[in-house]
Amino acid sequence: MMTRGTILDQNEFMQGLIKRNPGEVEFHQAVEEVATSVIPFINENPKYIESQILERMTEPDRTIIFRVCWEDDEGNIRTNRGYRVQFNNAIGPYKGGLRFHPSVNLSILKFLGFEQTFKNSLTTLPMGSGKGGADFNPKEKSEREIMRFCQAFMTELSKHIGEHMDIPAGDIGVGSREISFMFGQYKRLKNEFTGALTGKALEFGGSLIRKEATGYGCAYFMEEMLKHQGNTIAGKTCLVSGSGNVAQYAAQKLMQLGGKVITMSDSTGFIHDPDGLTEEKLEYIIKLKTFRRGNLSEFSENFNCKFYEDKKPWSIKADLAFPCATQNEIDKKDAKILIKNGCIGIAEGANMPSNKEAVEAFREAGIVFGPSKAANAGGVAVSGLEMTQNSIRMAWHRDELEERLKKIMQNIHQQCINYGVEKDRIDYLKGANLAGFVKVANAMLAYGVV
Ligand code: NDP
């Protein structure tokens, strides 16, 4: 491989990665985005080339794939595929969410695990990276079916996780209910009460602010980016996509900071409420999506606003955009429309919601762009604080936790500035990639060849 020379060539590096990981398009996309920022830096610091740090960082420590067999309510045997990608534990135990969605495959989990390496490094907390899940669809399953699936999934996963080894959390399709079923099974199998999962309910070791943390952190990150330009969220119209955990609390914090949230979406379409959401309307959405698991069209019927079936919200005119649903939900066309409509800032609540061409369009237009690994790191940061509280057998107060979250987001913003200053602007993507990279890379260098 050409990296033993003095220069790491991005094309050759990517060709090698694609050859070693055929067909894993989301993983290729995530690595390429990081490589674009990191390779010029590596070429200025040959110690990283000699030690093959980027090659090692793009290869997970291990990948566990397992069969999950469970019984549905009719007594049929069902089989799903479970995964845990333990990506990198150079700076702490593996940490990252579990996703239950029919689209889950190795490529998606490797992209998420790889991104998690940089995100967790940025939080300043001692956390390595991982991601897992299953191609299981929790939608239209009964409560008991979900419980049986979670128990079957954890029966295998429990062999590979633990409070000092790997601490999973939630992600798409895995909320408090699923974490509770899995934690109950873990506790039963291990006969111990340890914080091997985060996102737990408050009654058994969960942390205040955890459920709000990703969305709140994303709003705080936007506020920091705007503040740096002498601007603020107050008075701005905001597009939010998604209506799950991240979107709900991004919307709530945006409203608290004086923003006007005019859209939310789900996998069936989006709502446009030109008057802006209120606490009452958001409460309805939280109940609808989290507890009744209905579709957003119900909201439009109750609150007399428009529902656009099978559409994304990016064509609506607004000042700020917060993609909080899923990967690749903003393409080049969407980005161009946002820019044309006068959007001045994007903060990514979801993981990699903007594709490569969209990110390029934002960059060309000079729009302030907070990449997911920085803007949505608040969730895993408070998961880290949940681990600390579990270890010291304490529960911190809400105000203290929210203050810590705010400080962590400010610190991440500062790290992006430290590494992302350009002539006329801050390149937050480059800043986040480099700041995240340096800490993990230096830890790997210190360990020698392992
Ligand atoms: P939830 O399952 O709570 O919500 C997901 C939301 O996105 C739902 O509104 C869902 O609609 C919508 N959605 C999912 N897939 C699609 C799709 N293919 N097209 C359109 N809409 C879709 O997940 P979270 O809110 O937890 O996660 C959202 C994003 O944030 C993900 O990218 C996740 O990786 C990321 N993230 C989450 C963190 C967390 O703490 N939860 C932390 C950091 C990142 P519907 O209800 O119809 O399915």
Side-chain angles (χ1 to χ4, degrees):
M1 192 180 292
M2 74 82 54
T3 52
R4 282 193 195 94
T6 48
I7 292 289
L8 179 59
D9 178 84
Q10 185 171 339
N11 282 336
E12 283 189 44
F13 172 79
M14 282 309 301
Q15 276 166 20
L17 182 110
I18 291 167
K19 202 167 158 201
R20 287 194 304 281
N21 303 279
E24 296 181 356
V25 288
E26 293 86 359
F27 181 51
H28 305 161
Q29 183 184 341
V31 172
E32 189 175 9
E33 180 244 88
V34 168
T36 304
S37 321
V38 160
I39 287 181
F41 176 80
I42 287 181
N43 284 331
E44 287 165 15
N45 295 276
K47 62 183 177 184
Y48 299 124
I49 304 183
E50 284 149 22
S51 299
Q52 302 241 331
I53 288 295
L54 198 57
E55 288 82 350
R56 285 156 62 186
M57 235 186 226
T58 47
E59 190 64 39
D61 287 356
R62 75 187 57 75
T63 301
I64 301 145
I65 302 183
F66 50 95
R67 185 177 65 227
V68 186
C69 269
W70 55 285
E71 203 173 320
D72 69 19
D73 287 344
E74 277 75 51
N76 304 306
I77 308 289
R78 307 280 286 263
T79 305
N80 286 93
R81 187 173 294 169
Y83 303 82
R84 186 70 182 165
V85 180
Q86 296 181 331
F87 223 103
N88 189 308
N89 69 352
I91 61 166
Y94 305 110
K95 178 95 198 87
L98 298 169
R99 178 176 290 192
F100 290 167
H101 194 272
S103 65
V104 162
N105 59 33
L106 195 54
S107 170
I108 288 181
L109 296 179
K110 280 169 72 176
F111 119 62
L112 290 164
F114 179 69
E115 285 283 294
Q116 200 85 41
T117 309
F118 299 82
K119 184 185 311 192
N120 292 5
S121 167
L122 284 169
T123 64
T124 70
L125 302 174
M127 295 183 293
S129 57
K131 201 81 190 188
D135 59 350
F136 169 76
N137 187 0
K139 280 188 190 156
E140 285 154 26
K141 301 282 190 305
S142 72
E143 192 91 351
R144 285 302 168 102
E145 287 176 325
I146 288 169
M147 180 188 79
R148 285 195 291 273
F149 176 81
C150 288
Q151 291 178 341
F153 181 82
M154 183 50 83
T155 300
E156 178 59 30
L157 188 71
S158 64
K159 298 171 191 164
H160 311 285
I161 64 170
E163 62 171 338
H164 301 300
M165 188 196 299
D166 183 354
I167 307 95
D171 191 76
I172 291 178
V174 179
S176 175
R177 174 182 62 175
E178 290 75 18
I179 291 286
S180 301
F181 287 144
M182 286 191 271
F183 186 70
Q185 181 74 347
Y186 182 85
K187 192 169 68 57
R188 175 160 74 167
L189 291 166
K190 296 279 178 172
N191 196 23
E192 62 179 33
F193 194 109
T194 50
L197 291 167
T198 59
K200 302 185 289 297
L202 294 176
E203 295 81 359
F204 47 91
S207 174
L208 286 164
I209 295 287
R210 174 59 191 93
K211 80 173 184 308
E212 295 91 343
T214 310
Y216 277 19
C218 185
Y220 284 141
F221 196 79
M222 174 63 90
E223 186 70 342
E224 285 302 307
M225 292 195 297
L226 293 179
K227 209 163 87 188
H228 194 71
Q229 300 190 325
N231 210 337
T232 173
I233 286 173
K236 303 279 186 305
T237 45
C238 306
L239 305 177
V240 174
S241 70
S243 48
N245 173 263
V246 179
Q248 291 165 11
Y249 293 100
Q252 184 170 70
K253 187 49 75 183
L254 288 170
M255 291 191 295
Q256 289 171 5
L257 293 172
K260 185 175 175 187
V261 178
I262 56 173
T263 65
M264 287 189 94
S265 72
D266 65 16
S267 53
T268 65
F270 80 91
I271 48 157
H272 177 207
D273 185 348
D275 297 335
L277 294 185
T278 57
E279 269 300 332
E280 185 208 348
K281 291 175 184 174
L282 183 63
E283 199 50 46
Y284 180 93
I285 291 176
I286 292 176
K287 285 197 178 123
L288 172 71
K289 295 303 299 184
T290 312
F291 302 111
R292 290 200 283 117
R293 292 164 209 273
N295 292 334
L296 274 181
S297 54
E298 277 187 47
F299 175 90
S300 64
E301 286 152 20
N302 274 277
F303 290 93
N304 194 25
C305 74
K306 255 189 142 170
F307 176 73
Y308 294 83
E309 200 175 339
D310 286 334
K311 295 263 185 309
K312 300 184 280 187
W314 314 125
S315 60
I316 304 294
K317 188 173 164 49
D319 302 312
L320 304 171
F322 299 84
C324 297
T326 192
Q327 65 270 6
N328 292 329
E329 53 169 317
I330 301 185
D331 60 20
K332 187 177 176 178
K333 204 166 117 244
D334 300 320
K336 293 266 180 206
I337 295 174
L338 283 165
I339 296 162
K340 189 170 133 267
N341 282 341
C343 179
I344 59 162
I346 317 282
E348 296 187 322
N351 282 312
M352 206 169 71
S354 316
N355 76 6
K356 188 178 152 202
E357 292 76 24
V359 176
E360 273 162 17
F362 295 141
R363 187 189 296 250
E364 274 168 29
I367 286 185
V368 135
F369 173 73
S372 49
K373 55 175 77 70
N376 75 22
V380 72
V382 175
S383 272
L385 300 180
E386 181 174 332
M387 287 160 63
T388 306
Q389 293 170 82
N390 292 166
S391 298
I392 60 174
R393 306 271 193 267
M394 292 271 293
W396 292 330
H397 294 290
R398 191 184 168 89
D399 292 349
E400 182 175 354
L401 284 155
E402 193 166 348
E403 201 44 42
R404 281 178 190 265
L405 169 64
K406 206 169 172 178
K407 289 229 167 73
I408 288 172
M409 298 315 295
Q410 287 167 345
N411 190 312
I412 294 172
H413 181 263
Q414 187 56 47
Q415 292 179 68
C416 291
I417 291 181
N418 294 348
Y419 284 92
V421 178
E422 303 265 287
K423 213 166 52 244
D424 51 350
R425 68 197 172 102
I426 307 297
D427 183 340
Y428 284 94
L429 182 58
K430 179 178 153 198
N433 282 337
L434 290 185
F437 171 82
V438 166
K439 185 172 166 191
V440 179
N442 288 349
M444 291 173 75
L445 281 183
Y447 296 136
V449 182
V450 287

